[in-house]
Amino acid sequence: MQLLVLLWGCLLLPGYEALEGPKEISGFEGDTVSLQCIYREELRDHRKYWCRKGGILFARCSGTIYAGEEGQETTEGRVSIRDSRQELSLIVTLWNLTLQDAGKYWCGVEKRGPDESLLISLFVFPGSSRPPMQLDSTSAEDASPALSSGSSKPRVSIPTVRILAPVLVLLSLLSAAGLIAFGSHLLLWRKEAPQATETQRNEKVCLSHLTTEEKEAPSQAPEGDVISMPPLHTSEEELGFSKFVSV
């Protein structure tokens, strides 16, 4: 009884540790996906295959594709496999995926007794659910002539913006420095303006005082200054004539 259980287990559970590879792969409709199944050294000369999972025992594979000689690629439909014995890997490529390709597949190696195999799940997503592709700067520049024919708005490429950014920053700094200098000059002028006004007032007061003194100086000159006159010399005849007139 135990021998039958062990035999049944060997048939149902092949040696997974002999093969290594991805457990799952995925893609969108129309994509191409590739994978590698790495096998052990003792399986180098054994025949490798790729198939879709079918039944449990003898009919567990459908659409089996066998690898050819060393480095030779075998293609059937939209699937190709190649056995690279130097790298100890079986390379499988699936082209132009469809939603019907989704399912579970075996990557296997034939040997005496149960085959060594690795179960891989393939997921295929609808093409309508594909995220939009982002164009890089090079592709955007290449596409700009075609887009400009249908639009009159100018387009600025990303490298141009990167070149102009430092210039704009420098101009902003210069403008800010100019505004600061103008503000400080205006504040200093406001502080000095009252002092200049007071100085002008003092100068006007001094000038008014000087003008008043200059006007008063000529009017006081006849009173303060005594003009000396030369003495008169009268002759005897003139004295006698004056006395005669007075009699």
Side-chain angles (χ1 to χ4, degrees):
M1 183 67 180
Q2 293 180 353
L3 181 62
L4 292 176
V5 172
L6 290 176
L7 180 61
W8 184 259
C10 291
L11 292 174
L12 292 179
L13 301 173
Y16 290 96
E17 66 277 0
L19 288 174
E20 295 181 358
K23 302 298 182 182
E24 296 178 354
I25 56 174
S26 61
F28 292 90
E29 284 184 293
D31 288 350
T32 297
V33 294
S34 296
L35 61 100
Q36 284 187 345
C37 297
I38 309 299
Y39 51 82
R40 293 183 307 195
E41 175 69 25
E42 59 268 21
L43 300 176
R44 177 193 297 269
D45 297 329
H46 291 256
R47 191 166 67 161
K48 289 85 179 177
Y49 61 88
W50 172 264
C51 66
R52 187 161 189 166
K53 182 181 178 182
I56 297 177
L57 294 176
F58 302 101
R60 68 172 192 157
C61 271
S62 63
T64 305
I65 303 175
Y66 292 95
E69 299 295 332
E70 162 65 22
Q72 183 180 358
E73 188 174 45
T74 302
T75 303
E76 289 188 12
R78 295 179 288 106
V79 181
S80 67
I81 63 173
R82 180 170 61 87
D83 183 13
S84 178
R85 297 182 180 179
Q86 293 181 354
E87 299 178 358
L88 299 178
S89 64
L90 177 66
I91 303 170
V92 182
T93 304
L94 297 89
W95 292 296
N96 194 18
L97 293 177
T98 63
L99 295 178
Q100 289 74 23
D101 293 332
K104 295 183 178 182
Y105 293 83
W106 290 108
C107 181
V109 180
E110 287 185 345
K111 70 180 186 65
R112 220 174 259 185
D115 293 345
E116 301 287 358
S117 56
L118 175 67
L119 186 62
I120 300 174
S121 298
L122 172 62
F123 299 95
V124 182
F125 304 103
S128 58
S129 62
R130 185 193 301 270
M133 297 180 61
Q134 296 181 354
L135 298 177
D136 55 4
S137 59
T138 305
S139 59
E141 291 178 358
D142 296 338
S144 59
L147 295 176
S148 60
S149 60
S151 176
S152 60
K153 295 182 179 179
R155 297 176 60 86
V156 180
S157 60
I158 294 178
T160 305
V161 174
R162 291 179 179 174
I163 294 173
L164 292 178
V167 178
L168 295 176
V169 172
L170 181 59
L171 291 176
S172 300
L173 293 177
L174 291 175
S175 301
L179 291 175
I180 293 172
F182 177 75
S184 60
H185 180 73
L186 182 60
L187 183 61
L188 182 61
W189 177 79
R190 287 183 177 179
K191 290 181 179 180
E192 293 179 352
Q195 298 177 0
T197 305
E198 186 66 23
T199 303
Q200 291 177 0
R201 289 178 181 176
N202 293 335
E203 291 178 355
K204 289 181 180 181
V205 171
C206 292
L207 289 175
S208 63
H209 286 298
L210 292 175
T211 305
T212 305
E213 290 176 358
E214 289 178 357
K215 288 181 181 180
E216 290 176 355
S219 62
Q220 295 175 358
E223 297 177 358
D225 297 337
V226 178
I227 301 174
S228 61
M229 298 295 291
L232 297 175
H233 299 279
T234 307
S235 64
E236 293 179 358
E237 294 178 356
E238 290 176 351
L239 289 173
F241 178 76
S242 61
K243 288 179 181 181
F244 174 76
V245 172
S246 61
V247 174

